Amino acid sequence: MTQYSAFRLFREGLRGHKGWGKAWRSPTLQRAYDVVIIGGGGHGLATAYYLARNHGIRRVAVLEKGWLGGGNTGRNTTAIRSNYFYPESAALYDLSVRLYEGLSKELNYNVMFSQRGMLVCAHSEHDMEMATRQYNAMRLNGIDAELLTREEIRKRVPILNVSDTARFPVHGGVNQPRGGTGRHDAVAWGYARAADRLGVDIIQNCEVQGFVMEAGRCVGVQTSHGEVRAGVVGAAVAGHSSVLGQLAGYDLPIHSYALQAFVSEPIKPVLDTVVLAPAYGTYVSQSDKGGLVLGGGLDRVPSYGQRGNMPVQEGVIGSLIEMMPALAKVKLLRHWGGIVDVTPDSSPILGPSGVDGIYLNCGWGTGGFKAIPAGGYLFAHLLATGQHTDISRPFDLSRFKTGRLVDESAASGIAH
Amino acid sequence: MQIFTCPFCGPRDEREFHFVAEQGKVRPDTTQSVSDADWAAYLHTQRNEKGRVREVWMHTTCDEVFVMERHSVSMEVLATTALRKEST
Ligand SMILES: Cc1cc2nc3c(=O)[nH]c(=O)nc-3n(C[C@H](O)[C@H](O)[C@H](O)COP(=O)(O)OP(=O)(O)OC[C@H]3O[C@@H](n4cnc5c(N)ncnc54)[C@H](O)[C@@H]3O)c2cc1C
């Protein structure tokens, strides 16, 4: 397997890029594994990598019904942050940000994590008080945060309309300097390549269609490539979590919705941070290629229809033009949707499913790209040991019975 | 825009409608004691089916509450039926 480096890039450049090998194998499915992971998105692939790296478990298969990262991992707007309200969430998402900080080096794959900051605007005096509360909570949670005035925001994001004539004037905001963006495909591919190097079998175009049960325990899965035995099964299928639950016989508190995103034609650099304006319900950043990457709130109709639609498009684009009127003439390049798994408290589910032998990594909803390293790290620990760590325990499925929810829905900026 | 049919007003823009819940959940009898598991299931468990679904919706401009049958992948609306009881 080729080690990537600046020297290698230079050498390949001189030879017409003909010497690059495949980044991972395409193995055939074996009859049995210690761990079978369903879903080749970021969470499934990261889990496989950490199983091999942290726990020495290498007889691992990742089964993906389509192609790697073809689910939400390749469809998201790549915002990475840990600006959460509750200590449980901050511990989880900041573990992720810290892992992202070293990820390109660890995986020998450039995931282009750019800590360009994540600014959440406040649009009224009352918003400003809530912003201060958010800032204080973040500082108490040990997360970097800055409370900015309107003047400071004007200087930092000159393209943002902060004038009194704006539809929703900007009074100030909270910034997380360590927040930013990454390259979504690279996160999936980087983990896939690193997991493959450690012996993990990644099987694409392989759909899980049923579970093999013996004496009340799941001992394998039925797939479009035949039956596979598994010591333990981990499901990381995002919007399709309930579909698997119905096959296996566990209940979930999840609604699947489409979440949409948009990218514009490439333009010269105009924005060097991520800006979320909650009153408008829109957030935007600019990619290294120059495209404006924007998104908004969830569709209001539960759905498995993986595509965009007009009501949200009108809302998001109308809002962008109010936020940054200079962009009114910019053309849209693409528009798409992904199916996200939304829980009642907008927090993920990590832990046993209720069916012996099956564990869950799901419920990330609209915000699980930022959590891929931590989700994989903690899920690998669960699958290897059957035990929670202190960071994953609050996110166990049992919280819906005990009532101890981690209710981030009100604190996450856009009310999803 | 997609058109949904309100049983009271007829065909209208989808943005006038609000999803309420999956149809068919029965509130546990709270005059008796209810287990944590039953109450949690009532509050939180969703069928979340891929394919044909039956859901309770509200037309927010006239407050009509009704059952909509639709397909959760194609988004095709198959039927809408009022939940109103006839007054006696
Ligand atoms: C438009 C949009 C914008 C977003 N923006 C952000 C953002 O800015 N920041 C952020 O942190 N998060 C964001 N998210 C959320 C984030 O993308 C997801 O939470 C995250 O990617 C989930 O990763 P995953 O690996 O769990 O799921 P996925 O990447 O969806 O992977 C699940 C995989 O499971 C496969 N699968 C399903 N069923 C089966 C089966 N039966 N057998 C085999 N394989 C199966 C699917 O094909 C899929 O590839 C956004 C999401 C969307 C849709």
Side-chain angles (χ1 to χ4, degrees), chain A residues 92-112:
Chain A
L92 172 67
Y93 291 104
D94 206 57
L95 169 64
S96 217
V97 170
R98 280 180 275 126
L99 287 168
Y100 262 124
E101 284 170 343
L103 200 61
S104 292
K105 201 160 196 187
E106 174 168 354
L107 299 180
N108 179 236
Y109 204 105
N110 188 1
V111 300
M112 296 167 75

Side-chain angles (χ1 to χ4, degrees), chain B residues 5-8 64-68 80-86:
Chain B
T5 302
C6 167
F8 187 70
E64 181 79 3
V65 178
F66 62 96
V67 171
M68 178 147 74
T80 54
T81 326
L83 271 175
R84 225 169 342 139
K85 293 195 178 108
E86 294 304 322

Side-chain angles (χ1 to χ4, degrees), chain A residues 341-361:
Chain A
D341 40 343
V342 178
T343 61
D345 59 357
S346 299
S347 287
I349 298 169
L350 283 167
S353 67
V355 170
D356 201 14
I358 307 177
Y359 288 79
L360 301 172
N361 170 337

Side-chain angles (χ1 to χ4, degrees), chain A residues 233-245:
Chain A
V233 174
V237 296
H240 282 74
S241 296
S242 304
V243 176
L244 282 191

Side-chain angles (χ1 to χ4, degrees), chain A residues 240 242 246 256 302 304 307, chain B residues 15 47-48 50 70 72-73:
Chain A
H240 282 74
S242 304
Q246 276 144 27
S256 293
Y304 286 91
R307 55 187 170 267
Chain B
R15 290 171 298 186
R47 293 194 300 274
N48 195 28
K50 185 174 183 178
R70 53 180 197 98
S72 64
V73 183

